[in-house]
Amino acid sequence: MAPTRRLTGFQATGHLHLGNLLGALRPLIAAQGAAQSIALIADLHAMTIEHNPADVRASALEQATVLLAAGVDPERTPIVLQSQVREHTELHYLLECVAGFGEAARMIQFKEKSAAGGQVRLSLLTYPVLMSADILLHDVTQVPVGEDQRQHLELTRTLAHRFNTRYGTTFTVPEGVQPESAARIMDLAEPTAKMSKSAGAGRIGLLDPPEVVRRTVARAVTDEFGVVRRDPQRQPGVTNLINLLAECTGREPADPGSYGALKREVTDAIEALLAPLRARHAELAEDPGYVRGVLAESAERVRPTAAATVRRARAAIGLLD
Ligand code: AQP
């Protein structure tokens, strides 16, 4: 049986947060022994919306540093910066030639982000095709996807099938897999929305100092019921806090009657998780040359597979070699 090969991506649009850690990074680290994984930092995706060049560069380097600090072992899991493996963009174009305008325009994320107004970049429309290229390039068999990315993975599978059918078998068609952690971490200030890089007050950044973590949890939205129980409809804030505690410690709350006690437990649990990560990050941040070296070596490691995929796709679609 072919080995399991996985790709987990992070958009370089800002600081990684607790949702990224629990929903994607920890499962990636836990699977390092069993699956061949690639961690992709998607900096090209960061340019699909208005961006500041210096911020994208800083975010890419910070994310690579955080991934290492959290325990990604670059010997087993290459940390690939999307823009440093040019084959991503070459394959993107070839896949655009089998994708329809309507298909791209139907994507929910495109509809939501373009509805926000302002000038809509063409790259926002074609971003799911770039994401398809990210996945197909590395010949992966599995992609852990949260609910928000399921539609994009379906498009990837559709484009791979279509290309293979029209031009001959070229791509491995990957399966979407439920991340090992079922956690969908919600924003602490707005617990019906997922915690995300762009949202504000209720996000816990992985490098937030202890005082900020404590304050963010202390201000987390709860409700007037005064009972610590899971009830996502009526008590989304409290449910999120219980889930956070369970994800961080594997424990349920000690006191079913006190939101204050629950928040203290959650704060301690997050702190126990983030303190070593922060410390390791501080060490690594002293040596950005090392982190850049990891990115360069990772790019070299994945390049043979990436180049072979593009070679197959070029030949199949009708280009001279
Ligand atoms: N809240 C979350 N709970 C669990 N898992 C999450 N992930 C993201 N948010 C949560 C998972 O982390 C990986 C990388 O996510 P991303 O970089 O694609 O998404 P993001 O952090 O939501 O940030 P965006 O998309 O850059 O910014 P926004 O949404 O603010 O525009 C993925 O595996 C994801 O499932």
Side-chain angles (χ1 to χ4, degrees):
M1 211 169 65
T4 303
R5 286 170 54 86
R6 283 192 186 169
L7 182 104
T8 300
F10 302 87
Q11 290 205 55
T13 38
H15 306 292
L16 291 171
H17 52 77
L18 204 54
N20 297 135
L21 179 70
L22 297 174
L25 190 44
R26 240 183 21 173
L28 165 73
I29 292 164
Q32 277 185 133
Q36 292 175 7
S37 294
I38 295 174
L40 181 78
I41 299 177
D43 53 348
L44 297 171
H45 290 207
M47 290 167 210
T48 56
I49 50 175
E50 194 153 332
H51 75 285
N52 176 329
D55 288 349
V56 174
R57 264 193 298 274
S59 172
L61 191 61
E62 182 185 287
Q63 290 198 2
T65 313
V66 168
L67 261 54
L68 290 166
V72 173
D73 170 8
E75 295 294 321
R76 293 187 286 177
T77 307
I79 302 177
V80 176
L81 186 57
Q82 186 186 27
S83 61
Q84 290 183 341
V85 178
R86 309 269 162 101
E87 285 84 353
H88 285 108
T89 40
E90 186 169 3
L91 189 59
H92 177 202
Y93 180 75
L94 299 182
L95 288 175
E96 276 188 355
C97 299
V98 293
F101 171 80
E103 252 166 351
R106 268 201 301 279
M107 294 291 126
I108 294 163
Q109 276 197 9
F110 171 72
K111 286 200 216 162
E112 284 175 359
K113 291 194 174 174
S114 56
Q119 206 200 27
V120 177
R121 296 184 179 183
L122 195 50
S123 56
L124 184 66
L125 176 70
T126 60
Y127 141 78
V129 184
L130 179 57
M131 186 173 149
S132 300
D134 298 338
I135 295 169
L136 299 178
L137 186 67
H138 299 288
D139 244 353
V140 296
T141 54
Q142 292 188 346
V143 187
V145 272
E147 211 37 60
D148 51 334
Q149 291 296 340
R150 199 157 291 282
Q151 201 189 19
H152 292 160
L153 182 71
E154 270 322 302
L155 179 71
T156 304
R157 288 168 51 81
T158 302
L159 297 182
H161 271 301
R162 190 177 298 155
F163 195 105
N164 286 349
T165 308
R166 277 190 200 160
Y167 304 116
T169 303
T170 303
F171 299 120
T172 301
V173 182
E175 303 290 333
V177 290
Q178 187 78 23
E180 278 76 357
S181 146
R184 185 176 160 78
I185 306 303
M186 309 308 273
D187 188 279
L188 293 179
E190 209 187 317
T192 50
K194 80 167 183 130
M195 190 178 285
S196 82
K197 297 196 202 78
S198 56
R203 181 192 55 219
I204 294 186
L206 298 182
L207 301 177
D208 283 354
E211 183 47 30
V212 172
V213 172
R214 197 194 56 72
R215 213 172 38 234
T216 309
V217 178
R219 290 181 184 160
V221 167
T222 53
D223 50 63
E224 69 288 0
F225 293 103
V227 185
V228 176
R229 65 180 166 207
R230 285 189 179 82
D231 184 342
Q233 298 305 323
R234 293 188 306 163
Q235 297 182 250
V238 170
T239 303
N240 190 34
L241 288 169
I242 301 173
N243 288 343
L244 262 175
L245 182 66
E247 280 298 322
C248 293
T249 64
R251 252 195 1 253
E252 292 296 302
D255 181 350
S258 162
Y259 289 169
L262 174 64
K263 286 181 172 180
R264 278 191 296 280
E265 275 193 275
V266 170
T267 305
D268 292 346
I270 295 174
E271 195 43 35
L273 212 59
L274 296 193
L277 193 157
R278 240 186 251 125
R280 182 78 186 115
H281 177 272
E283 286 169 15
L284 288 164
E286 296 280 303
D287 191 0
Y290 166 73
V291 181
R292 281 174 172 267
V294 167
L295 292 175
E297 275 172 34
S298 298
E300 285 312 312
R301 287 240 306 280
V302 300
R303 192 161 283 125
T305 301
T309 307
V310 168
R311 242 189 335 267
R312 286 197 306 278
R314 286 175 55 103
I317 207 167
L319 300 175
L320 283 174
D321 55 11

mmCIF file of all heavy atoms in Angstrom, residues 178-198:
data_model
loop_
_atom_site.group_PDB
_atom_site.id
_atom_site.type_symbol
_atom_site.label_atom_id
_atom_site.label_comp_id
_atom_site.label_asym_id
_atom_site.label_seq_id
_atom_site.Cartn_x
_atom_site.Cartn_y
_atom_site.Cartn_z
ATOM 1 N N GLN A 178 -10.945 13.890 8.327
ATOM 2 C CA GLN A 178 -11.298 14.671 9.517
ATOM 3 C C GLN A 178 -10.034 14.797 10.365
ATOM 4 O O GLN A 178 -9.381 13.789 10.631
ATOM 5 C CB GLN A 178 -12.360 13.855 10.278
ATOM 6 C CG GLN A 178 -12.986 14.541 11.444
ATOM 7 C CD GLN A 178 -14.032 15.554 10.991
ATOM 8 O OE1 GLN A 178 -14.569 15.452 9.889
ATOM 9 N NE2 GLN A 178 -14.291 16.532 11.821
ATOM 10 N N PRO A 179 -9.650 16.023 10.765
ATOM 11 C CA PRO A 179 -8.471 16.125 11.632
ATOM 12 C C PRO A 179 -8.688 15.285 12.897
ATOM 13 O O PRO A 179 -9.834 15.137 13.338
ATOM 14 C CB PRO A 179 -8.407 17.608 11.972
ATOM 15 C CG PRO A 179 -9.258 18.293 10.965
ATOM 16 C CD PRO A 179 -10.273 17.306 10.498
ATOM 17 N N GLU A 180 -7.579 14.740 13.451
ATOM 18 C CA GLU A 180 -7.680 13.878 14.639
ATOM 19 C C GLU A 180 -8.444 14.580 15.752
ATOM 20 O O GLU A 180 -9.221 13.986 16.478
ATOM 21 C CB GLU A 180 -6.283 13.502 15.162
ATOM 22 C CG GLU A 180 -5.636 12.338 14.429
ATOM 23 C CD GLU A 180 -5.087 12.731 13.063
ATOM 24 O OE1 GLU A 180 -5.257 13.910 12.665
ATOM 25 O OE2 GLU A 180 -4.509 11.855 12.383
ATOM 26 N N SER A 181 -8.189 15.878 15.871
ATOM 27 C CA SER A 181 -8.947 16.617 16.872
ATOM 28 C C SER A 181 -10.193 17.159 16.186
ATOM 29 O O SER A 181 -10.111 17.775 15.137
ATOM 30 C CB SER A 181 -8.107 17.783 17.382
ATOM 31 O OG SER A 181 -8.951 18.863 17.687
ATOM 32 N N ALA A 182 -11.348 16.897 16.794
ATOM 33 C CA ALA A 182 -12.585 17.381 16.192
ATOM 34 C C ALA A 182 -12.816 18.845 16.558
ATOM 35 O O ALA A 182 -13.804 19.451 16.193
ATOM 36 C CB ALA A 182 -13.755 16.531 16.666
ATOM 37 N N ALA A 183 -11.848 19.412 17.288
ATOM 38 C CA ALA A 183 -12.077 20.739 17.857
ATOM 39 C C ALA A 183 -12.221 21.815 16.801
ATOM 40 O O ALA A 183 -11.431 21.902 15.876
ATOM 41 C CB ALA A 183 -10.905 21.107 18.756
ATOM 42 N N ARG A 184 -13.240 22.586 16.946
ATOM 43 C CA ARG A 184 -13.359 23.807 16.173
ATOM 44 C C ARG A 184 -13.400 24.870 17.257
ATOM 45 O O ARG A 184 -14.386 24.991 17.989
ATOM 46 C CB ARG A 184 -14.648 23.751 15.367
ATOM 47 C CG ARG A 184 -14.847 24.891 14.438
ATOM 48 C CD ARG A 184 -16.129 24.594 13.650
ATOM 49 N NE ARG A 184 -16.683 25.784 13.062
ATOM 50 C CZ ARG A 184 -16.217 26.357 11.961
ATOM 51 N NH1 ARG A 184 -15.201 25.841 11.337
ATOM 52 N NH2 ARG A 184 -16.786 27.437 11.484
ATOM 53 N N ILE A 185 -12.317 25.576 17.383
ATOM 54 C CA ILE A 185 -12.213 26.525 18.483
ATOM 55 C C ILE A 185 -12.888 27.825 18.069
ATOM 56 O O ILE A 185 -12.610 28.372 16.994
ATOM 57 C CB ILE A 185 -10.726 26.772 18.843
ATOM 58 C CG1 ILE A 185 -10.022 25.434 19.123
ATOM 59 C CG2 ILE A 185 -10.593 27.725 20.010
ATOM 60 C CD1 ILE A 185 -10.627 24.586 20.204
ATOM 61 N N MET A 186 -13.772 28.293 18.919
ATOM 62 C CA MET A 186 -14.534 29.481 18.577
ATOM 63 C C MET A 186 -13.885 30.718 19.208
ATOM 64 O O MET A 186 -13.110 30.619 20.162
ATOM 65 C CB MET A 186 -15.990 29.335 19.056
ATOM 66 C CG MET A 186 -16.646 28.031 18.619
ATOM 67 S SD MET A 186 -16.519 27.704 16.855
ATOM 68 C CE MET A 186 -17.958 28.569 16.271
ATOM 69 N N ASP A 187 -14.241 31.861 18.662
ATOM 70 C CA ASP A 187 -13.731 33.132 19.158
ATOM 71 C C ASP A 187 -14.291 33.358 20.573
ATOM 72 O O ASP A 187 -15.487 33.170 20.806
ATOM 73 C CB ASP A 187 -14.220 34.231 18.206
ATOM 74 C CG ASP A 187 -13.596 35.554 18.511
ATOM 75 O OD1 ASP A 187 -14.068 36.238 19.447
ATOM 76 O OD2 ASP A 187 -12.635 35.918 17.821
ATOM 77 N N LEU A 188 -13.451 33.777 21.499
ATOM 78 C CA LEU A 188 -13.921 33.896 22.880
ATOM 79 C C LEU A 188 -14.859 35.094 23.065
ATOM 80 O O LEU A 188 -15.698 35.102 23.957
ATOM 81 C CB LEU A 188 -12.729 34.008 23.842
ATOM 82 C CG LEU A 188 -11.859 32.753 23.940
ATOM 83 C CD1 LEU A 188 -10.691 32.955 24.879
ATOM 84 C CD2 LEU A 188 -12.657 31.552 24.388
ATOM 85 N N ALA A 189 -14.710 36.098 22.212
ATOM 86 C CA ALA A 189 -15.584 37.264 22.340
ATOM 87 C C ALA A 189 -16.858 37.105 21.518
ATOM 88 O O ALA A 189 -17.858 37.789 21.755
ATOM 89 C CB ALA A 189 -14.835 38.521 21.890
ATOM 90 N N GLU A 190 -16.810 36.213 20.534
ATOM 91 C CA GLU A 190 -17.961 36.017 19.647
ATOM 92 C C GLU A 190 -18.062 34.518 19.369
ATOM 93 O O GLU A 190 -17.666 34.043 18.303
ATOM 94 C CB GLU A 190 -17.694 36.783 18.350
ATOM 95 C CG GLU A 190 -18.949 37.258 17.669
ATOM 96 C CD GLU A 190 -18.604 37.857 16.308
ATOM 97 O OE1 GLU A 190 -17.616 38.595 16.232
ATOM 98 O OE2 GLU A 190 -19.333 37.541 15.352
ATOM 99 N N PRO A 191 -18.582 33.752 20.341
ATOM 100 C CA PRO A 191 -18.415 32.295 20.294
ATOM 101 C C PRO A 191 -19.216 31.568 19.225
ATOM 102 O O PRO A 191 -19.136 30.343 19.133
ATOM 103 C CB PRO A 191 -18.845 31.847 21.698
ATOM 104 C CG PRO A 191 -19.641 32.964 22.250
ATOM 105 C CD PRO A 191 -19.190 34.222 21.594
ATOM 106 N N THR A 192 -19.959 32.307 18.393
ATOM 107 C CA THR A 192 -20.601 31.623 17.274
ATOM 108 C C THR A 192 -19.737 31.699 16.017
ATOM 109 O O THR A 192 -20.068 31.117 14.993
ATOM 110 C CB THR A 192 -21.998 32.223 16.972
ATOM 111 O OG1 THR A 192 -21.838 33.635 16.870
ATOM 112 C CG2 THR A 192 -22.995 31.895 18.082
ATOM 113 N N ALA A 193 -18.631 32.438 16.087
ATOM 114 C CA ALA A 193 -17.698 32.524 14.943
ATOM 115 C C ALA A 193 -16.414 31.803 15.303
ATOM 116 O O ALA A 193 -15.982 31.829 16.459
ATOM 117 C CB ALA A 193 -17.392 33.988 14.634
ATOM 118 N N LYS A 194 -15.786 31.151 14.299
ATOM 119 C CA LYS A 194 -14.552 30.427 14.638
ATOM 120 C C LYS A 194 -13.422 31.407 14.925
ATOM 121 O O LYS A 194 -13.392 32.516 14.362
ATOM 122 C CB LYS A 194 -14.188 29.447 13.528
ATOM 123 C CG LYS A 194 -13.494 30.066 12.345
ATOM 124 C CD LYS A 194 -12.882 29.021 11.435
ATOM 125 C CE LYS A 194 -12.148 29.746 10.320
ATOM 126 N NZ LYS A 194 -10.816 29.369 10.044
ATOM 127 N N MET A 195 -12.530 30.975 15.799
ATOM 128 C CA MET A 195 -11.364 31.804 16.073
ATOM 129 C C MET A 195 -10.562 31.893 14.776
ATOM 130 O O MET A 195 -10.334 30.873 14.122
ATOM 131 C CB MET A 195 -10.515 31.156 17.176
ATOM 132 C CG MET A 195 -9.424 32.038 17.708
ATOM 133 S SD MET A 195 -8.492 31.248 19.059
ATOM 134 C CE MET A 195 -9.620 31.364 20.431
ATOM 135 N N SER A 196 -10.184 33.098 14.360
ATOM 136 C CA SER A 196 -9.443 33.209 13.110
ATOM 137 C C SER A 196 -8.418 34.333 13.214
ATOM 138 O O SER A 196 -8.460 35.142 14.142
ATOM 139 C CB SER A 196 -10.388 33.449 11.931
ATOM 140 O OG SER A 196 -10.715 34.803 11.857
ATOM 141 N N LYS A 197 -7.504 34.346 12.255
ATOM 142 C CA LYS A 197 -6.418 35.322 12.326
ATOM 143 C C LYS A 197 -6.935 36.748 12.199
ATOM 144 O O LYS A 197 -6.379 37.662 12.772
ATOM 145 C CB LYS A 197 -5.397 35.061 11.212
ATOM 146 C CG LYS A 197 -4.739 33.710 11.346
ATOM 147 C CD LYS A 197 -3.485 33.636 10.500
ATOM 148 C CE LYS A 197 -3.128 32.209 10.204
ATOM 149 N NZ LYS A 197 -3.966 31.640 9.132
ATOM 150 N N SER A 198 -7.998 36.908 11.419
ATOM 151 C CA SER A 198 -8.442 38.280 11.159
ATOM 152 C C SER A 198 -9.374 38.824 12.242
ATOM 153 O O SER A 198 -9.506 40.029 12.381
ATOM 154 C CB SER A 198 -9.121 38.354 9.797
ATOM 155 O OG SER A 198 -10.177 37.439 9.739
#
